[in-house]
């Protein structure tokens, strides 16, 4: 094997590596520097960026031997390199820091510090690449313009943040380099924070993410680890007659070849219905082109992939159906003959009032049909699962008493149940250990490689890693449903809605996944955030031979909101009404009834969202177009070949499972004699900063500093079940579980101290790591005085109780333990009961609301669309952490922008056309608009401190707002997403009023 000599982060290395190795592989797998990430292996995402001899490179395609003799700098070495050059960062950091990382933080490169304090790292998978890329800019230019930063980062994707925080972090770092001071982030106002709740606290894992220390699934390396590669169907629908495996089994390094015949337990898995085969074959045909047929397990990933080519499959191709409307025809090929309803996964119905009477009362009726595409989550970290067999002892990771799976999963307990069922094991014999997750957005709820890795580890007796390439990830995992939606909206002359009728078709693809639930949300939200007295909605969720479709941020409401809001805009136009006024007139308010019969009792901030968005839109409009101030806000304004106009749309989204499903989360709190506490739940952290919310909730209740609470999530052996991370439910559910667990622990501690000091428990309070036995003394401290030195004015009340004193939290815990009391406590939180669809009453326990406005520009010579400015207002009940809340909003908006303009996962006759990340055009920093965000806080009665979900609503109204903006600019109504800009240009030239084009449609005349 040839020898490679290079210096990495100041250390000289000479190693034997295969000649065809790339630099990223050498860094990660030979040198163990896993801070450099691989998101695509196609020079597309920028996650693998490192510096070679002062120049940034995509190390995934940089041949390792090109770095012979070179000096390489990776994220692990950036801070030391910065310090080596005698550069000292600002100190102290002007935001609350956390954990033991406080000291280390000041030693970091200003970019790393700024990414932490500005919330520019969420899932963190992109952060090393973005930081390394930005460092090359700041090395040359310590005062870059916005355009220069965007140009520098144009080839580096972030799927979570929406780029705004990244831009501000790079600017702040530049300021720090120039002045030694690191500016903090600019955040919108919110209600006054409590001690922890509502503050912009940096996420607890931020330092690990910006230094490359955070371990994602593919970063786990075990002694003797094997590698799995999966053979997938070459047809969208085919019987598997035979798989010849002997030649592959005989190849060098191959340890096992597994097929359906090797599955000892349940041959199928699934979250709602167990209809998805672990391997297609035998009784189960391949039903889409991503179905797995076999797993090759070998010593190296290269050997495993090479052996796939030696597997010979005999197929009997079957007719395929790839359109959800055609799938409903009695003549369509049936995917699951064991089901009684043919290809119908679910017919979902909403019936409300008298639809005929509603339309009879209408003076204006608008009826249109809309189409939305299948879209892809494009989380930057491809799926990876590592299974370690029971009894394995590893020098780095210790003993494994049971079969253990390391995976980034949104539902660890569901993973455990499905793995155990397919392996024929009791659930207790399997442990799922969640790793740091590089994004999910709903796409990591279904099983990916977990069962295969577990099976392979069991068969071979060795750890097995199953890592998907980007192409495999695209081909395999469930997508956002493509939909066809007809909406008929009726209103009186003065704009009062009288009726909505809708028919939806959802392409659920080959397996159930969460399709029924997703399309139920699309259906129940199909009247929009409006009081509609009469509604009749029918939805058909259909099986097809396309990729399965399931959860994706917005959960079906993204699709129906596009149709509903487009119809609302047409209605406003036909009525001659201001579009905001039409929405205001019909907006849901406290006391209003939804189309499913639910009377809203609290927390309906829709009108506030409308008002704040409108005011800001007008202010920005006056600044941007001084000549047009005071005129029609939505009128087009020409600037050369471009025409600009605002579009406005609204949306709402349920928090929690709803529909009668029991919804619970458990959390366990433990306090320690050193004075810190740990909160545990299995709920998934995928970048949204649930861990920060849980830490803040626990710290608030126990009166501890944020830095004295640690969080353990996603471990089925160590953390109780928090339920699925879906439906924007975790802040509410797990937030409440953590809050109530911590509160119960506080009461236990109060009881112990009350006995010791012989005072009533309620006179004991906790604050900043101290237990106050006289709560009046605490009041003085909170009012600005100091312990032992009361504030001068106002005059403190005299200390009344002779036994008044304070003691450290640690001593309170020591007292608890000395009395033999349990320092650990579990709380099972059950959300308020909900009702199934069709039975009336509360279908959901909370809703979030949002209004988005987009200033859109259309180039009339090219058809190019750009979003220059976005204004948002979100009613989130209560801001739990202002920094991560704004990050969720910014990220959701840019994801919705991609949904409107560029994103489309394309299959042709059931075979994937989108095979590479470069073919899936998600927004880069160049597309990121300027944003003004308003936080509206109408608290829910039972949410933690009034909070409800924000994860999904932030990506819902933006797509229709953009489509409406385009219409206002150039008069073309886009009826299908994404908006094909070539077709838009042709429509402009042809004078087409309504553009019903999508990718693959024949060209316009
Ligand atoms: S992993 Fe190298 S550019 Fe994506
Ligand atoms: S934080 Fe950028 S991809 Fe997740």
């Amino acid at each position: 094997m040839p020898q490679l000599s290079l210096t990495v982060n100041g250390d000289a290395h000479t190693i034997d590596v295969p000649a065809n190795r790339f630099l990223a592989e050498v860094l990660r797998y030979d040198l163990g520097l896993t801070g450099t990430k691989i998101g695509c292996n196609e020079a597309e995402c920028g996650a693998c960026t490192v510096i070679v001899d002062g120049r940034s490179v995509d190390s995934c395609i940089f041949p390792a031997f090109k770095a012979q003799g070179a000096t390489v700098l990776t994220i692990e070495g950036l801070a030391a390199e910065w310090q080596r050059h005698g550069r000292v960062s600002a100190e102290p950091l002007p935001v609350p820091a956390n954990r033991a990382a406080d000291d280390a933080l000041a030693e970091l490169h200003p970019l790393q510090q700024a990414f932490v304090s500005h919330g520019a790292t969420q899932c963190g998978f992109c952060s090393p690449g973005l930081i390394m890329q930005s460092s090359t800019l700041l090395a040359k230019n310590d005062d870059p313009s916005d355009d220069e930063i965007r140009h520098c980062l144009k080839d580096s994707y972030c799927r979570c943040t929406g780029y705004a925080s990244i831009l501000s972090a790079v600017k702040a770092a530049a300021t720090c380099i120039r002045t030694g001071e690191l500016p903090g982030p600019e955040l919108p106002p919110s209600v006054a924070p409590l001690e922890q709740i509502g503050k912009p606290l940096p996420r607890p894992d931020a330092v690990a993410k910006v230094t490359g220390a955070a371990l994602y699934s593919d970063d786990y390396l075990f002694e003797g680890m094997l590698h799995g590669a999966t053979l997938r169907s070459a047809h969208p629908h085919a019987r598997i007659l035979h798989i010849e495996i002997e030649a592959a089994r005989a190849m060098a390094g191959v340890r096992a070849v597994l097929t359906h015949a090797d599955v000892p337990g349940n041959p199928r898995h699934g979250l709602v219905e167990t209809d998805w085969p672990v391997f297609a074959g035998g009784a189960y045909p391949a039903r889409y082109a991503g179905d797995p047929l076999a797993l090759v397990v070998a010593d190296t990933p290269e050997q495993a992939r090479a052996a796939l080519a030696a597997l010979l499959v005999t197929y009997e191709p079957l007719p395929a159906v790839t359109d959800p409307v055609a799938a409903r025809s009695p003549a369509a090929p049936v995917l699951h003959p064991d089901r009684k309803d043919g290809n119908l996964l679910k017919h979902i119905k909403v019936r409300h009032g008298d639809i005929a009477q509603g339309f009879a009362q209408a003076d204006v009726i608008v009826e249109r049909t809309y189409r939305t595409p299948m879209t892809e989550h494009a989380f930057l970290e491809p799926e990876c699962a590592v299974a370690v067999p029971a009894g394995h002892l590893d020098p780095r990771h210790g003993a494994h008493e049971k079969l253990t799976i390391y995976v980034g999963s949104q539902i660890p307990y569901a993973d455990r149940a499905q793995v155990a069922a397919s392996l024929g094991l009791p659930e207790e014999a399997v442990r799922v250990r969640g790793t740091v997750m590089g994004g999910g957005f709903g796409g990591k709820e279904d099983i990916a490689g977990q069962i295969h890795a577990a099976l392979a580890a069991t068969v071979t007796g060795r750890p097995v890693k199953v890592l998907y390439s980007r192409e495999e990830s695209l081909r395999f995992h469930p997508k956002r449903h493509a939909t066809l939606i007809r909406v008929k909206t009726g209103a009186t002359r003065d704009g009062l809605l009288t009726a909505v009728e809708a028919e939806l078709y959802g392409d659920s693809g080959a397996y159930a996944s969460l399709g029924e639930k997703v399309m139920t949300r699309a259906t129940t939200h199909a009247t929009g955030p409006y009081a509609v007295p009469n509604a009749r909605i029918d939805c058909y969720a259909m099986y097809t031979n396309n990729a399965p479709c399931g959860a994706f941020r917005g959960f079906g409401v993204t699709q129906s909101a596009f149709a509903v809001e487009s119809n609302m805009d047409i209605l406003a136009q036909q009525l001659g009404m201001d579009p905001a006024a039409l929405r205001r007139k019909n907006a849901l308010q406290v006391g209003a009834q939804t189309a499913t019969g639910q009377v809203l009792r609290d927390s309906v901030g829709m009108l506030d969202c409308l008002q704040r968005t409108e005011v800001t839109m007008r202010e920005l409009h006056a600044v941007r177009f001084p000549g047009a101030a005071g005129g029609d806000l939505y009128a087009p304004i020409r600037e050369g070949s471009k025409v600009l106009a605002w579009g406005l749309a609204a949306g709402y989204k349920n928090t929690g499972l709803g529909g009668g499903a029991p919804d619970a989360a458990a959390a366990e709190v433990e306090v320690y004699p050193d004075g810190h506490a740990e909160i545990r739940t299995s709920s998934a952290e995928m970048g949204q900063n649930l861990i920060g919310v849980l830490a803040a909730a626990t710290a608030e209740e126990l009166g501890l500093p944020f830095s004295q609470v640690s969080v353990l999530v996603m471990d089925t052996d160590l953390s109780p079940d928090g339920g699925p991370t879906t439906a924007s439910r975790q802040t509410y559910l797990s937030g409440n579980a953590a809050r109530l667990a911590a509160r119960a622990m506080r009461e236990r501690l109060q009881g112990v101290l009350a006995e010791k000091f012989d005072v009533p428990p309620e006179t004991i309070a906790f604050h900043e790591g101290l237990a106050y036995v006289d709560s009046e003394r605490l009041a003085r401290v909170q009012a600005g005085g100091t312990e032992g030195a009361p504030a001068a004015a106002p005059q403190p009340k005299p200390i009344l109780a002779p036994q008044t004193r304070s003691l450290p939290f640690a001593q309170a815990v020591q007292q608890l333990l000395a009395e033999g009391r349990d320092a650990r406590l579990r709380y099972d939180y059950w959300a308020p009961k909900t009702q199934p669809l069709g039975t009336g009453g509360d279908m959901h326990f909370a809703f979030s609301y949002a209004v988005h406005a987009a200033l859109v520009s259309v180039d009339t010579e090219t058809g190019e669309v750009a979003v220059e400015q976005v204004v948002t207002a979100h009613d989130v009940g209560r801001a739990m952490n202002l920094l991560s809340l704004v990050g969720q909003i910014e990220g959701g908006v840019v994801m919705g922008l991609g949904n409107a303009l560029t994103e489309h996962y394309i299959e042709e006759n059931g075979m994937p056309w989108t095979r590479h990340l470069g073919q899936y055009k998600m927004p880069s920093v160049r597309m990121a608009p300027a944003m003004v965000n308003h936080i509206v806080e109408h608290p829910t009665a039972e949410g933690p401190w009034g909070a409800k979900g924000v994860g999904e609503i932030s990506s819902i109204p933006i797509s229709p707002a953009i489509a409406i903006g385009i219409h206002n600019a150039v008069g073309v109504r886009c009826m299908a997403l994404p908006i094909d800009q070539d077709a838009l240009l042709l429509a402009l030239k042809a004078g087409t009023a309504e553009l019903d084009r999508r990718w693959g449609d024949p060209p316009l005349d």
Side-chain angles (χ1 to χ4, degrees):
M1 225 185 275
Q3 268 196 342
L4 174 67
S5 295
L6 73 178
T7 300
V8 183
N9 301 331
D11 296 329
H13 298 273
T14 297
I15 47 174
D16 296 334
V17 293
N20 59 358
R21 269 268 206 244
F22 289 101
L23 182 58
E25 296 170 313
V26 169
L27 293 171
R28 290 178 54 76
Y29 307 127
D30 296 317
L31 300 181
L33 294 168
T34 53
T36 297
K37 304 301 180 199
I38 298 179
C40 68
N41 256 332
E42 306 168 359
E44 191 62 35
C45 72
C48 63
T49 303
V50 299
I51 314 290
V52 177
D53 288 337
R55 198 168 57 88
S56 66
V57 303
D58 287 334
S59 61
C60 70
I61 56 146
F62 193 85
F65 279 90
K66 229 174 132 181
Q68 185 73 271
T71 297
V72 179
L73 184 64
T74 73
I75 192 73
E76 290 93 342
L78 183 65
E81 179 74 3
W82 172 253
Q83 297 298 335
R84 236 193 317 273
H85 286 82
R87 312 298 293 269
V88 179
S89 306
E91 198 175 1
L93 194 73
V95 289
N98 49 62
R99 303 290 171 280
D102 282 9
D103 293 340
L105 194 57
E107 303 292 315
L108 298 183
H109 188 285
L111 276 164
Q112 292 169 307
Q113 294 191 42
F115 267 58
V116 172
S117 60
H118 284 242
T121 186
Q122 290 187 17
C123 84
F125 202 78
C126 67
S127 303
L130 281 159
I131 290 170
M132 296 310 288
Q133 182 65 28
S134 304
S135 73
T136 61
L137 173 66
L138 299 194
K140 293 179 291 204
N141 177 358
D142 65 8
D143 192 12
S145 67
D146 199 65
D147 280 349
E148 286 168 329
I149 300 171
R150 286 178 191 254
H151 180 75
C152 169
L153 299 180
K154 68 184 186 329
D155 298 321
S156 300
Y157 284 105
C158 173
R159 190 59 160 162
C160 300
T161 63
Y163 301 105
S165 55
I166 291 170
L167 291 168
S168 72
V170 175
K171 280 204 167 137
T175 303
C176 182
I177 289 170
R178 288 197 312 279
T179 67
E181 299 216 345
L182 183 67
E186 282 179 26
L187 295 167
S190 65
V191 303
L194 305 177
E195 287 187 20
Q196 312 295 340
I197 297 300
K199 284 187 174 165
L201 298 164
R203 46 183 310 130
D205 58 3
V207 171
K209 285 177 170 174
V210 301
T211 55
L215 291 182
Y216 299 76
S217 303
D218 184 36
D219 300 337
Y220 282 82
L221 308 172
F222 291 92
E223 190 103 324
M225 188 169 74
L226 302 173
H227 299 266
T230 315
L231 180 73
R232 299 197 180 269
S233 176
H235 299 273
H237 200 190
R239 231 168 252 127
I240 312 303
L241 301 182
H242 180 66
I243 305 177
E244 180 51 56
I245 63 170
E246 290 312 320
R249 211 198 288 265
M251 286 176 70
V254 173
R255 303 287 171 164
V257 179
L258 305 173
T259 68
H260 70 93
D262 299 299
V263 181
N266 191 339
R268 296 190 290 179
H269 61 85
L271 287 169
V272 177
E273 301 197 22
T274 48
D275 62 354
W276 197 335
V278 175
F279 292 107
Y284 305 112
R287 297 187 179 93
Y288 84 109
D291 254 331
L293 308 186
L295 183 81
V296 173
V297 187
D299 290 342
T300 69
E302 295 80 12
Q303 289 169 330
R305 283 196 295 270
L308 289 182
L311 292 171
L312 298 176
V313 184
T314 309
Y315 295 95
E316 180 193 341
L318 299 169
V321 58
T322 58
D323 178 283
V325 180
R328 206 168 153 228
S329 158
V334 175
L335 273 78
H336 298 269
D338 50 334
R339 293 179 59 89
K340 64 179 172 47
D341 292 326
N343 291 325
L344 181 68
L345 172 61
K346 186 78 176 178
H347 178 192
I348 304 142
K349 299 178 215 170
V350 169
R351 302 287 183 265
H352 182 58
D354 182 333
I355 194 71
Q357 193 185 345
F359 282 115
Q361 291 166 347
D363 299 307
V364 180
I365 294 175
V366 171
E367 184 172 6
R368 296 288 189 283
T369 299
Y370 302 89
R371 288 188 289 188
T372 67
M374 188 181 285
T375 59
E376 153 68 28
H377 307 77
F379 33 73
L380 276 202
E381 178 210 22
E383 297 90 335
C384 179
V386 188
V388 181
H392 183 83
L393 183 64
D394 189 86
R396 289 175 70 183
H397 302 289
H400 291 77
E401 286 172 14
K402 36 175 100 164
L403 173 62
T404 304
I405 298 143
Y406 294 79
V407 64
S409 163
Q410 290 184 233
I411 324 180
Y413 274 85
D415 282 13
R416 183 180 78 159
Q418 292 173 91
V419 168
S422 288
L423 268 66
L425 296 170
E427 289 186 17
E428 297 70 35
V430 178
R431 178 180 182 185
V432 173
R433 289 185 66 174
T435 63
V436 178
M437 200 182 333
F441 315 114
K444 290 179 180 169
E445 296 190 30
D446 295 275
I447 285 288
Q450 294 94 316
I451 297 174
H452 291 169
L455 185 58
T458 305
V459 167
T460 62
R462 289 169 60 174
V464 176
K465 177 181 283 183
V466 175
L467 168 67
Y468 290 175
S469 67
R470 178 56 62 178
E471 181 177 354
E472 187 173 16
S473 173
L474 286 167
R475 183 179 188 132
F476 153 77
H477 74 241
K479 309 284 184 262
R480 176 182 276 145
H481 286 69
T483 60
L484 180 78
I485 305 175
R486 178 184 62 80
V487 190
K488 183 175 169 186
T489 311
T492 61
R493 187 164 296 112
D494 57 357
L496 199 63
L497 293 175
T498 60
V500 168
E501 183 184 84
E503 186 180 45
L504 301 87
Y505 279 84
D507 183 351
S508 271
Y511 298 107
S513 180
L514 288 156
E516 174 197 331
K517 309 290 179 199
V518 169
M519 291 313 298
T520 299
R521 294 301 161 268
T523 309
T524 56
H525 287 66
T527 47
Y530 309 111
V532 178
N534 307 291
R536 180 188 174 91
I537 307 166
D538 288 275
C539 173
Y540 306 95
M542 302 302 302
Y543 282 111
T544 71
N545 293 109
N546 292 324
C549 287
F552 191 158
R553 193 179 206 167
F555 216 78
V557 185
T558 318
Q559 294 94 313
S560 54
F562 169 60
V564 170
E565 289 299 296
S566 297
N567 251 28
M568 286 295 281
D569 198 64
I570 298 171
L571 196 59
Q573 188 186 6
Q574 294 195 3
L575 290 166
M577 266 182 94
D578 178 279
L582 176 65
R583 288 173 171 86
R584 197 175 303 117
K585 189 172 189 95
N586 294 285
L588 288 172
Q589 302 181 50
V590 171
Q593 194 177 39
T594 69
T596 63
Q598 176 167 356
V599 177
L600 301 170
R601 288 187 294 276
D602 65 7
S603 190
V604 189
M606 171 73 181
L607 285 174
D608 260 6
C609 289
L610 260 171
Q611 191 258 346
R612 295 217 207 166
T613 304
E614 238 191 320
V615 167
T616 301
M617 204 174 21
R618 284 194 187 283
E619 289 168 358
L620 292 170
H621 188 78
V623 173
R624 178 70 177 80
F625 310 109
D632 178 3
L633 187 57
Y634 302 96
I637 294 174
R638 183 169 277 280
E639 289 182 347
S641 64
K642 294 182 180 168
V643 185
L644 293 92
W646 289 94
L648 177 122
Y652 78 138
K653 174 72 183 61
N654 64 291
T655 293
L657 303 179
D663 206 354
E668 181 180 85
V669 68
E670 184 163 1
V671 289
Y672 293 88
D674 67 356
H676 91 275
E678 182 166 274
I679 188 79
R680 307 175 190 125
T681 175
S682 75
S683 310
E685 169 59 54
M686 52 185 174
Q688 80 281 37
N689 196 23
L690 175 68
I691 53 174
V693 166
L694 298 178
T698 307
E700 188 76 45
E701 287 291 350
L702 289 175
L704 282 173
F706 186 66
S707 59
Q708 277 177 236
V709 178
S710 58
V711 183
L712 193 152
V713 288
M714 302 189 285
D715 188 323
T716 56
D717 266 21
L718 300 182
S719 53
D721 193 355
T725 298
T726 190
S728 306
R729 66 185 283 283
Q730 288 298 12
T731 290
Y732 192 107
L733 269 291
S734 293
N736 260 336
R739 175 182 69 130
L740 296 168
R743 180 179 295 174
M745 179 57 76
R746 186 189 72 209
E747 288 166 359
R748 186 177 288 178
L749 288 164
Q750 280 173 319
V752 166
L753 295 181
E755 267 179 41
K756 179 177 168 65
F757 295 105
D758 195 21
V759 295
E762 60 275 14
T763 63
I764 295 165
F766 295 87
H767 173 64
E768 282 294 313
L770 291 174
Y772 291 81
V773 182
D774 173 359
S775 54
E776 294 198 20
R777 191 166 188 169
L778 169 63
R780 283 202 308 279
V781 172
Q782 286 175 324
T786 56
E787 172 64 12
Q795 203 64 358
K797 289 182 184 172
I799 293 171
L800 299 177
Q803 65 273 48
T804 293
R805 56 169 300 182
S806 68
L807 67 161
F809 187 84
Q811 278 183 24
V813 178
Q814 289 159 16
Q815 183 69 28
L816 178 93
L817 293 168
E819 291 186 12
R821 306 286 300 275
D822 199 346
R824 197 156 36 157
L825 186 153
R826 172 182 164 135
Y827 194 96
D828 288 79
Y829 172 72
W830 289 86
K833 273 199 173 137
T834 57
Q835 297 296 320
L837 175 60
T839 62
D842 291 356
M843 195 175 161
H844 295 289
F845 48 77
F847 294 93
S848 298
Y849 301 83
V851 174
H852 293 176
L855 178 61
V856 175
S857 93
V858 182
D859 191 319
T860 53
E861 289 179 1
T862 64
E864 188 182 348
V865 177
V867 181
E868 190 176 292
Q869 174 78 57
V870 168
V871 181
T872 76
H874 292 81
D875 172 20
V876 298
R878 176 71 154 102
M880 294 287 282
N881 177 318
L882 196 55
L883 188 64
S884 51
L885 169 60
V886 171
Q888 285 290 293
I889 290 169
E890 292 168 345
V893 164
V894 171
M895 196 175 265
L897 183 152
N899 183 60
L901 294 180
T902 54
E903 295 189 28
H904 189 179
Y905 177 79
I906 298 165
E907 292 183 321
E908 291 177 319
N909 301 317
M911 296 305 291
W913 180 89
T914 308
R915 301 170 78 98
H916 304 285
L917 206 56
Q919 293 170 300
Y920 188 75
K921 299 188 187 326
M922 63 177 167
S924 74
V925 69
R926 290 197 152 180
M927 290 174 69
M931 273 188 243
V932 176
N933 301 301
H934 295 290
I935 308 301
V936 175
E937 292 165 282
H938 286 227
T940 53
E942 198 173 313
W945 293 277
K948 49 192 180 182
V950 69
E952 299 176 282
I953 183 66
S954 56
S955 69
I956 289 173
I958 186 68
S959 297
I962 291 170
I964 290 165
I966 291 171
H967 173 262
N968 291 342
V970 294
V972 179
R973 182 77 63 184
C974 297
M975 316 302 288
L977 300 180
I979 293 163
D980 183 327
Q981 296 170 32
D982 290 335
L984 178 61
L985 180 62
L986 292 172
L988 279 172
K989 290 189 171 157
T992 307
E994 294 192 355
L995 176 60
D996 190 12
R997 299 283 98 186
R998 60 178 179 175
W999 189 92
D1001 284 342
L1004 290 170
D1005 293 334

